[in-house]
Amino acid sequence: MNAIGPVEPGEDTYGRENTLGRKAVTPRAAWRAPRRTALAAAVLLAAAGLTIHLTRPEPPPAPPPLWPSQSVAVTYTGEMSRPRAGERNFTFAVTVTHEAGPPVSVRRVAQPSAALSVHASPATPFTVKSGTPRKLIITMHIRECGEVPRNAGLPFLEVTLRNARANERQSYILGPEYANDLSGALTAACPRTRVS
């Protein structure tokens, strides 16, 4: 058979049903099936991601700040004044340093002897921030010369500290230089008239 012209489609090429009674797949329907599969896969992935996000373990809580005494140092810087006999007051300097963590409040400065009292400048309470040391001038007042401790081996200051974690009273031993200077000041202010 010879003919000129376009080839015509055969039987049931564009028909509604094929020989098995099913609809023939058209090009438009061929595109819908992969899109539905991709959409279903995307929904499943999103559901899995949401499930993982909602069921993930909580991160551990942040550790509490250090105890105040663990982050604060008090050091004797000298400058002990030398009182004359009969004078009841003398001064010296200490530096309060806060190493790390939230600010620490210095609530009180004291010492253990009933014969002495102390006054701090700046007045307590005051705050010490990390990396910003504070110089403290301590004025020591002698209440009773006869009861003043002499040649104290390890005199110390009691400092009450407060931070976000706790309120804590700590005894700071200021070292042998402080002990020698304190002993010299007490001896100069209260010359020995009797055994104390």
Side-chain angles (χ1 to χ4, degrees):
M1 166 171 25
N2 287 334
I4 298 179
V7 177
E8 294 185 17
E11 190 177 325
D12 290 330
T13 303
Y14 292 112
R16 298 244 180 232
E17 294 182 0
N18 63 14
T19 56
L20 299 175
R22 290 183 287 192
K23 288 187 176 181
V25 177
T26 62
R28 185 176 195 122
W31 278 94
R32 285 186 187 154
R35 284 198 301 185
R36 285 184 185 159
T37 305
L39 180 63
V43 168
L44 284 175
L45 275 173
L50 183 61
T51 302
I52 290 170
H53 177 73
L54 293 176
T55 59
R56 75 185 187 285
E58 290 294 321
L66 296 173
W67 291 91
S69 61
Q70 292 175 318
S71 64
V72 171
V74 178
T75 54
Y76 175 62
T77 57
E79 305 173 43
M80 179 90 62
S81 65
R82 185 63 82 135
R84 291 185 295 232
E87 287 183 342
R88 297 292 182 160
N89 296 323
F90 59 96
T91 61
F92 59 93
V94 296
T95 300
V96 181
T97 307
H98 176 45
E99 295 172 9
V104 174
S105 174
V106 177
R107 311 295 291 171
R108 181 173 180 262
V109 178
Q111 56 74 49
S113 173
L116 302 170
S117 65
V118 297
H119 175 273
S121 177
T124 56
F126 62 88
T127 301
V128 181
K129 295 180 180 176
S130 178
T132 309
R134 296 285 302 262
K135 184 176 182 179
L136 197 57
I137 302 298
I138 305 291
T139 301
M140 185 91 55
H141 175 72
I142 301 169
R143 292 181 178 162
E144 179 62 48
C145 268
E147 300 299 321
V148 166
R150 298 179 189 271
N151 298 321
L154 293 173
F156 57 89
L157 286 179
E158 291 176 349
V159 181
T160 303
L161 304 167
R162 181 179 183 85
N163 71 357
R165 182 172 187 170
N167 192 40
E168 186 178 27
R169 187 171 72 187
Q170 180 70 18
S171 297
Y172 288 95
I173 297 171
L174 302 179
E177 184 182 353
Y178 170 72
N180 291 337
D181 290 352
L182 179 62
S183 180
L186 292 174
T187 301
C190 298
R192 289 184 186 263
T193 54
R194 60 181 186 147
V195 176
S196 345

